[in-house]
Amino acid sequence: MISKRPDPMTDDSLLDPARHGFLEDAMAIITGTLLCALGVEFFRHAHLGTGGTAGLAFLVHYVSGYPIGNVLFVLNLPFYVFAWLAMGREFTLKTFAAVALFAGEGLVMPHVFAINLAVPLFATIVGGILVGVGLLILLRHKASLGGIGVLAAFVQQKLGWRAGKFQMACDLLIVAAAFLVLSWQDVALSVLGAVVLNLILAVNHKPGRYNGY
C-alpha cells in the first residue's frame, strides 16, 4: 500500500501556527508606525528629544527644520546594508517599509492631528508609551524603525541580550547630545521619555518569550 505524502500547501499540520501571515504583518506595520508617529507628535509638541536614530533625527529637525520622518529615512540608509547582512532579507524589507511609512505619516500628521494642550510631563509619558508600544508591535513582526533598533534586534536575536536594555544605553548617550540644542529641563524630560519607551520594550520583549515569527 502506497501512502500519500502530505501536501505542504494544504496540510495545516505542517504549517507553523505561530508565524505571522502577510496581512498580519501589514496591519502590524501600519499600526506600529502610526503609534510611533503619534508618540513623536507628543514629543515634538513638548520640544523634547528621544533616543535612537529618531533622536538624531529630532536634533537635525530642531537645527534645520527638515521633517523628522524624512531625516530619519535618510539616516537609516546605511543601516539597511547591515540589516540585510546581519538580519536577513525579510527583516530588512519590513524595516524599509516601516521607515518609509513612518516618514509619510510624519508628513501627514501635522495636517490631520494637532495637540492644543499637553503638559510637558504628560506629553513625555504618553509619547514614550505610544512609541514603545509601536516599536514593540514592529519587533514582534520582525521589523523596526531602523538604526539603533536594528542593532537592538540583532543583539537580542544573535547574542541573547535584552533589546530594551541595549537600546536604553544607546538612547541615553544620544539624549545627552541634546544638550547642544535643548534646555536642561527639556533634556531631563527627554531622558524620562526614553526610559518609559525602553521599559515598555524591556518588560514585554524578552528573548524566547514571544515567537510570533
Side-chain angles (χ1 to χ4, degrees):
M1 182 176 179
I2 300 177
S3 60
K4 183 180 179 182
R5 297 181 63 184
D7 183 358
M9 298 299 293
T10 59
D11 189 355
D12 291 338
S13 65
L14 298 182
L15 300 177
D16 182 2
R19 186 175 179 84
H20 294 132
F22 174 79
L23 290 179
E24 292 174 317
D25 285 337
M27 291 178 62
I29 290 175
I30 293 172
T31 303
T33 55
L34 184 57
L35 288 174
C36 289
L38 285 171
V40 165
E41 280 300 301
F42 275 95
F43 283 156
R44 193 168 66 86
H45 174 79
H47 200 67
L48 305 180
T50 186
T53 314
L56 296 177
F58 263 103
L59 297 182
V60 174
H61 166 72
Y62 289 140
V63 172
S64 66
Y66 291 129
I68 294 173
N70 290 7
V71 175
L72 182 65
F73 183 83
V74 173
L75 289 177
N76 270 307
L77 291 177
F79 287 96
Y80 293 128
V81 176
F82 173 80
W84 188 282
L85 296 175
M87 303 297 293
R89 180 179 65 179
E90 181 182 359
F91 181 89
T92 305
L93 293 178
K94 288 180 180 178
T95 295
F96 182 87
V99 174
L101 184 58
F102 175 77
E105 291 166 346
L107 291 175
V108 173
M109 193 65 66
H111 303 286
V112 298
F113 177 74
I115 302 173
N116 294 323
L117 174 64
V119 175
L121 179 60
F122 176 81
T124 300
I125 295 174
V126 172
I129 292 174
L130 286 171
V131 176
V133 173
L135 290 177
L136 178 64
I137 292 173
L138 293 176
L139 285 172
R140 288 188 169 182
H141 285 260
K142 205 172 184 181
S144 75
L145 286 182
I148 303 301
V150 169
L151 295 179
F154 170 74
V155 298
Q156 173 159 299
Q157 179 173 317
K158 302 298 184 181
L159 304 178
W161 298 358
R162 294 276 187 88
K165 290 184 178 179
F166 176 84
Q167 187 160 341
M168 183 182 292
C170 296
D171 287 350
L172 292 177
L173 291 175
I174 293 173
V175 169
F179 276 111
L180 298 174
V181 296
L182 300 177
S183 68
W184 71 265
Q185 295 95 332
D186 290 338
V187 172
L189 286 176
S190 299
V191 171
L192 175 61
V195 170
V196 171
L197 186 163
N198 286 287
L199 280 176
I200 297 292
L201 296 179
V203 171
N204 295 283
H205 193 65
K206 298 179 180 179
R209 174 169 291 185
Y210 185 87
N211 297 311
Y213 57 82

